[in-house]
Amino acid sequence: MRLGDRHLGIVGTGLIGGSLGLALRGRAASVLGWDLDGDALRRALVLGAVDEAASSLEALCSRCDAVVLALPPRHVVGTAEAIFRSGALPVVFNAASVQARAFRALSPLFSGRYAGFHPMAGREKGGIDNADGELFRGAFCAVVADERTDGEVVDLARELARIIGAESGLLGPDDHDRATACVSHLPLLTATALALAAGEELDRRPDFALLAGGGFRDTTRVAAGPAWMTADLWAENEALEGCLDRLIATLQQMRRSTADEMEDLARLGASRREAALSRTFRRMRP
């Protein structure tokens, strides 16, 4: 199954779905789109993120060889089940940043024609008007599969990642969610907590905001994203609670530390940050 000969569907024409469509322009036989938000779907068509707007989810699936669900985690299972009930049997890719729960529900249903396809890329502001065909270039894309997943489906996912400019690697669903809990979802919770804690102080002394510079801006950047996404990640990623417990324990350790102990912790933290970032595909600014 080669992408250039196939018809691809994108369900959800927001930031991720729209960026995927723009990156695939001219690289598939056609790219069809569908979204509950008719305005977003029409905008995706105007911007060239999709070649055609499908009239319904069922109509899209009946014409597509593969469908990418670019949806909030809470909507993935219900939408995929609707695809299954439609009688169409395209390959279904889940682009959400939480995979394990959906994988357990959907992999048996689609008999090997289901996989996760999660590009580690995004922006604080979502929506089709923030879509960018270069969003995934240099990013890492997790292809989430297990022993039931067809080899051709994995190959198609890897080809899709390559075409949008991403590196790909194969992960199991539980390993994927443990990784994203640690390096993606926990930073979001931490940024939100910092913004809340600092906000309480700023409510008492608004003039303190004059001193808020790059450190505060950079460390709270991801807290500017949509609140529903934070709620979805907390509700759906079963590994996130354990990561949060480890963070709380580390903060409590820091609170009890002497100055010398804090220096040791800070030095260790810096070295672990460098070790983690040295392994990423996309080179981030420090």
Side-chain angles (χ1 to χ4, degrees):
M1 184 182 292
R2 302 295 297 176
L3 187 64
D5 302 323
R6 303 295 173 174
H7 300 278
L8 183 72
I10 297 175
V11 178
T13 52
L15 173 65
I16 299 301
S19 297
L20 182 62
L22 290 170
L24 290 171
R25 186 156 41 184
R27 306 301 296 273
S30 67
V31 177
L32 281 72
W34 183 77
D35 199 306
L36 279 173
D37 184 341
D39 290 337
L41 183 55
R42 285 187 287 273
R43 185 66 175 153
L45 187 61
V46 168
L47 293 174
V50 297
D51 299 318
E52 184 180 340
S55 59
S56 67
L57 177 64
E58 293 76 15
L60 178 141
C61 293
S62 69
R63 296 175 54 191
C64 290
D65 301 295
V67 173
V68 179
L69 304 181
L71 298 170
R74 71 180 79 174
H75 296 310
V76 167
V77 172
T79 303
E81 289 174 340
I83 292 173
F84 182 79
R85 290 193 300 270
S86 75
L89 287 176
V91 171
V92 174
F93 292 126
N94 173 15
S97 66
V98 185
Q99 294 282 334
R101 281 183 173 175
F103 204 97
R104 289 196 295 270
L106 299 176
S107 181
L109 200 63
F110 285 91
S111 301
R113 294 175 63 81
Y114 172 86
F117 180 85
H118 176 213
M120 294 294 293
R123 290 176 173 168
E124 297 82 54
K125 293 184 179 180
I128 183 62
D129 285 315
N130 292 297
D132 182 353
E134 297 294 310
L135 182 66
F136 309 114
R137 190 160 300 281
F140 177 79
C141 181
V143 176
V144 182
D146 66 8
E147 66 279 356
R148 294 172 294 188
T149 311
D150 287 350
E152 285 190 357
V153 171
V154 172
D155 291 343
L156 181 62
R158 286 187 176 276
E159 182 187 4
L160 181 56
R162 178 182 58 77
I163 287 173
I164 65 175
E167 299 281 351
S168 64
L170 197 62
L171 287 173
D174 291 324
D175 284 343
H176 170 275
D177 282 10
R178 283 193 291 269
T180 56
C182 177
V183 300
S184 180
H185 304 163
L186 184 62
L188 174 56
L189 296 187
T190 306
T192 301
L194 175 58
L196 289 169
E200 291 181 7
E201 188 65 30
L202 293 174
D203 285 343
R204 290 190 288 269
R205 291 293 305 273
D207 54 316
F208 284 7
L210 296 172
L211 280 73
F216 181 78
R217 182 177 59 251
D218 293 346
T219 52
T220 59
R221 177 181 59 83
V222 293
W228 61 260
M229 178 59 75
T230 305
D232 261 23
L233 300 179
W234 179 246
E236 296 291 329
N237 193 340
E238 298 161 336
L240 186 50
E241 185 175 351
C243 285
L244 185 60
D245 286 342
R246 287 195 295 275
L247 175 63
I248 292 170
T250 301
L251 290 172
Q252 290 172 336
Q253 179 186 1
M254 294 174 76
R255 187 175 184 179
R256 297 189 300 267
S257 295
T258 65
D260 287 343
E261 290 168 340
M262 186 65 79
E263 183 176 350
D264 290 340
L265 287 171
R267 188 178 296 110
L268 179 60
S271 67
R272 288 186 171 174
R273 175 184 184 274
E274 290 303 312
L277 292 180
S278 69
R279 300 187 183 105
T280 59
F281 284 94
R282 171 172 290 171
R283 301 305 304 159
M284 302 290 188
R285 288 177 295 181

